[in-house]
Amino acid sequence: MPESTAVTYTQTGIKGVDELLKDKGIPKGYVVFVLGGPGTGKTTLTLQFICQGAITFNEPGVYVTLDEGVTQLKVNALNFGWDLAGLEKQRKISMIDACPIRRLPGEVKIGTLTIGKREFSLVSLIDVIKKSVTEIGAKRLVVDPLAVFTLQYPGEVERRTALFDLMEGIADLGCTTMFVTELSESSIDRRYQFEEFLAQGVITMRKVVKAEGGLIRVFTVEKMRGVDHDAQPHPYKITSHGIEVYPNAIAL
Ligand SMILES: Nc1ncnc2c1ncn2[C@@H]1O[C@H](COP(=O)(O)OP(=O)(O)OP(=O)(O)O)[C@@H](O)[C@H]1O
Ligand SMILES: [Mg+2]
């Protein structure tokens, strides 16, 4: 029997997003980068992705935070109606506070071995992810934000290599993954960031100044390998239920 090569999909469950992905979602196991400026809703979107998986699609998820503490995230999530603590108790999600990685000294001593902070943080991040994913049988994974991890590396070549190593390290887990990344420019003719070439999928969330004045929030699926997706810029809102994208309206 030939091995089945049919692609299966992970529905995000986020209003409007699956429509942009031809009602199918993200191919299972893909690493998608969520790029956006400050306050564009990256954390909200990715928490929603994990909660929707746990509540609606019976897909447990692991959320690794490198920035905001888990307690704060739980408080913020409750405002959207997402009970992270309850989902954790039911082993439907796992919230991992990896912020201590930021505070590591330049070198870490394990027995007689001295390991550089960068190597240690890469290995420990992969280890903590593997352990948590296995524990709850996670099918979804988020790391928010990646910059805390990649910015330890001095140049783009090292950052690219570290990211590639991280992606390789988690590949065999098969989780559909979102990596949150800062977007340094928000204009439409911006320069691409190196992460965008490595990723199988790229979503951008931007605040853009309208020609007539005022700001508009703009959501775009920039890339999703193998999917005939809608690549137009669409308006979105952060509502009391989370992110809502409007696929029938074009922004800009
Ligand atoms: N309960 C809520 N209802 C509606 N909008 C909210 C609510 N909570 C937060 N927001 C909006 O979401 C924005 C922040 O969202 P979020 O933390 O997801 O953004 P982010 O892109 O992760 O930000 P950062 O770059 O700081 O990590 C706030 O600036 C606010 O405009
Ligand atoms: Mg955030």
Side-chain angles (χ1 to χ4, degrees):
M1 280 264 288
E3 207 177 300
S4 168
T5 50
V7 179
T8 50
Y9 297 86
T10 302
Q11 279 180 273
T12 66
I14 299 162
K15 211 167 170 202
V17 176
D18 295 317
E19 282 95 321
L20 301 182
L21 298 165
K22 302 291 162 208
D23 283 333
K24 288 178 171 166
I26 301 167
K28 277 200 194 306
Y30 265 27
V31 174
V32 174
F33 282 69
V34 176
L35 267 77
T40 47
K42 305 177 295 297
T43 299
T44 309
L45 180 99
T46 48
L47 276 175
Q48 199 171 348
F49 171 68
I50 291 294
C51 290
Q52 278 290 330
I55 298 164
T56 312
F57 300 104
N58 197 24
E59 291 195 344
V62 169
Y63 198 98
V64 182
T65 174
L66 283 153
D67 177 0
E68 279 182 90
V70 168
T71 312
Q72 188 59 51
L73 284 180
K74 285 180 178 170
V75 172
N76 295 351
L78 267 185
N79 290 330
F80 295 108
W82 309 323
D83 176 14
L84 301 183
L87 290 171
E88 234 179 354
K89 270 200 199 107
Q90 298 170 53
R91 295 174 66 80
K92 289 185 174 175
I93 69 166
S94 187
M95 299 294 299
I96 307 297
D97 189 343
C99 300
I101 280 181
R102 280 196 312 205
R103 297 187 285 274
L104 282 175
E107 287 181 337
V108 181
K109 276 199 182 333
I110 301 174
T112 52
L113 211 65
T114 304
I115 304 172
K117 171 182 174 168
R118 289 179 207 136
E119 292 73 27
F120 183 76
S121 65
L122 175 65
V123 173
S124 24
L125 192 59
I126 293 172
D127 271 1
V128 87
I129 289 172
K130 281 191 169 164
K131 187 168 170 287
S132 316
V133 165
T134 312
E135 261 170 17
I136 63 163
K139 302 279 182 272
R140 300 181 182 213
L141 168 68
V142 168
V143 180
D144 175 20
L146 215 52
V148 171
F149 164 73
T150 48
L151 286 181
Q152 309 174 81
Y153 299 86
E156 192 180 305
V157 175
E158 290 93 336
R159 286 207 273 275
R160 204 185 262 262
T161 309
L163 203 49
F164 195 71
D165 288 348
L166 177 62
M167 287 169 72
E168 274 214 330
I170 60 162
D172 56 350
L173 295 171
C175 287
T176 306
T177 300
M178 287 188 179
F179 281 161
V180 172
T181 308
E182 276 90 356
L183 187 63
S184 44
E185 289 178 72
S186 73
S187 66
I188 208 80
D189 57 351
R190 66 189 175 81
R191 275 180 305 160
Y192 292 113
Q193 297 181 194
F194 72 88
E195 294 95 337
E196 297 177 68
F197 297 99
L198 289 180
Q200 288 146 323
V202 175
I203 285 169
T204 55
M205 300 174 80
R206 288 172 292 148
K207 278 186 266 188
V208 178
V209 182
K210 288 191 285 187
E212 64 272 30
L215 281 174
I216 183 170
R217 291 189 191 273
V218 183
F219 186 101
T220 313
V221 178
E222 306 268 352
K223 159 175 173 179
M224 197 60 68
R225 282 185 190 150
V227 179
D228 175 23
H229 63 91
D230 180 332
Q232 294 293 326
H234 295 280
Y236 73 95
K237 284 189 179 154
I238 305 176
T239 74
S240 56
H241 306 291
I243 304 285
E244 281 188 22
V245 180
Y246 303 100
N248 297 323
I250 299 290
L252 310 173

